[in-house]
């Protein structure tokens, strides 16, 4: 989905949204678009276009913008409007600090998690692998988000799931700095599979350690790329 296609597609969403016209629901729709890569950093969000597409009141939309600004996904620029935020080096360091604690802890729940929760992790890895073979690198990126959401989902906590959705939406903004998606994501497809195989083989501790090393690699990769671009 490119250009303004994401905005046009919201028209259909507006039918459902109209039944529950809350700022939280609007924020979730926009957050999901960020997490799926449809809204890169610097994108200006037209209040009028969004309000029309979703069929919500102006105050509802503005409250959603305030919620997403607190989540560091949007930024309001005086006299210019609301834009998708561009993360910086400090954001990367902070995001990975949080993810190590949350996802590392969640992975320890593998053996006690319901089978459907473990299957969600397997499905995410399979989707990534299939997308990589077809060279659909934007889908590989989406599969990566699904993988990490599914790891957190092992715990069965709605609060943790919500927090990680916010973190991964912010991470997707960071990933836009990486340029060529194949160059960035190709190695992580195998790393995700390795983590899954360890967990599925009963080595949850080793899987957790592999995930922490994965985060170390990814964090340094992102920091080098961001610093090289000033």
């Amino acid at each position: 989905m490119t250009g303004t296609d994401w905005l046009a597609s919201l028209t259909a969403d507006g039918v459902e949204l109209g039944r529950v016209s809350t700022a939280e629901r609007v924020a979730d729709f926009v957050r999901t678009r960020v997490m799926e890569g449809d809204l890169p950093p610097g994108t200006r969000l037209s209040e009028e276009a969004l309000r029309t597409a979703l069929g919500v009141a102006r105050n509802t939309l503005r409250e959603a913008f305030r919620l997403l600004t607190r989540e560091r996904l949007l930024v309001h620029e005086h006299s210019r409007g609301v834009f998708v935020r561009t993360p910086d080096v400090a954001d990367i360091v902070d995001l990975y600090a949080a993810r190590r604690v949350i996802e590392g802890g969640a992975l320890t729940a593998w053996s006690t998690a319901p089978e459907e929760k473990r299957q969600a992790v397997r499905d995410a890895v399979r989707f990534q692998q299939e997308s990589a073979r077809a060279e659909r690198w934007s889908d590989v990126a989406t599969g990566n988000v699904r993988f990490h959401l599914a790891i957190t989902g092992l715990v069965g906590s709605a609060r943790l799931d919500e927090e990680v959705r916010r973190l991964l939406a912010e991470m997707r903004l960071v990933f836009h700095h990486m340029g060529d998606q194949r160059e960035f994501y190709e190695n992580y497809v195998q790393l995700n599979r390795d983590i899954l195989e360890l967990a599925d083989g009963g080595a949850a501790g080793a899987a957790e350690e592999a995930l922490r090393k994965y985060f170390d690699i990814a964090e340094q990769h992102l920091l080098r790329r961001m610093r090289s671009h000033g």
Side-chain angles (χ1 to χ4, degrees):
M1 190 178 296
T2 58
T4 59
D5 292 346
W6 71 274
L7 186 58
S9 72
L10 290 183
T11 303
D13 295 335
V15 175
E16 177 185 352
L17 190 63
R19 300 193 187 102
V20 187
S21 298
T22 65
E24 290 83 358
R25 182 64 64 87
V26 176
D28 188 58
F29 270 83
V30 176
R31 187 186 302 110
T32 298
R33 300 291 173 168
V34 171
M35 191 158 51
E36 293 180 354
D38 298 329
L39 293 171
T43 300
R44 183 180 181 277
L45 298 184
S46 167
E47 182 177 295
E48 190 60 32
L50 264 174
R51 193 172 63 82
T52 300
L54 293 175
V56 297
R58 190 181 304 277
N59 286 343
T60 298
L61 184 60
R62 288 180 176 176
E63 177 59 24
F65 282 171
R66 282 192 287 271
L67 289 172
L68 293 169
T69 298
R70 286 199 293 271
E71 292 177 19
R72 302 180 182 87
L73 296 180
L74 303 182
V75 61
H76 180 268
E77 297 186 11
H78 183 65
S79 300
R80 296 190 65 221
V82 176
F83 294 81
V84 179
R85 186 171 173 269
T86 301
D88 57 24
V89 166
D91 291 314
I92 293 174
V93 173
D94 194 56
L95 283 164
Y96 275 100
R99 294 182 68 193
R100 286 184 182 92
V101 172
I102 295 173
E103 293 185 51
L107 196 52
T108 64
W110 181 272
S111 62
T112 58
E115 177 58 23
E116 64 267 21
K117 298 292 187 180
R118 293 194 293 266
Q119 188 58 45
V121 181
R122 299 183 192 111
D123 290 344
V125 170
R126 184 173 63 251
F127 176 77
Q128 259 202 314
Q129 291 178 306
E130 291 171 352
S131 298
R133 283 194 291 269
E135 298 195 1
R136 300 193 309 268
W137 297 104
S138 180
D139 285 343
V140 171
T142 297
N144 191 60
V145 170
R146 292 179 184 176
F147 173 74
H148 292 286
L149 283 172
I151 286 177
T152 307
L154 294 168
V155 177
S157 166
R159 289 175 175 80
L160 271 183
D161 291 343
E162 290 172 6
E163 182 60 30
V164 169
R165 279 180 63 81
R166 289 191 285 268
L167 292 174
L168 290 177
E170 200 174 350
M171 284 301 312
R172 194 64 185 263
L173 295 180
V174 173
F175 293 150
H176 280 285
H177 286 285
M178 300 312 293
D180 182 80
Q181 293 190 86
R182 176 174 186 167
E183 179 187 352
F184 179 69
Y185 283 108
E186 194 166 21
N187 292 334
Y188 295 102
V189 175
Q190 183 59 49
L191 289 172
N192 288 349
R193 180 180 177 181
D194 292 344
I195 292 166
L196 170 62
E197 289 180 348
L198 287 168
D200 237 354
E208 182 184 359
E209 181 60 26
L211 179 64
R212 292 183 185 278
K213 289 180 179 177
Y214 169 112
F215 283 151
D216 290 343
I217 293 168
E219 180 181 17
Q220 291 307 311
H221 190 174
L222 286 163
L223 289 172
R224 284 196 301 272
R225 179 60 65 90
M226 186 169 283
R227 285 165 176 158
S228 72
H229 285 75

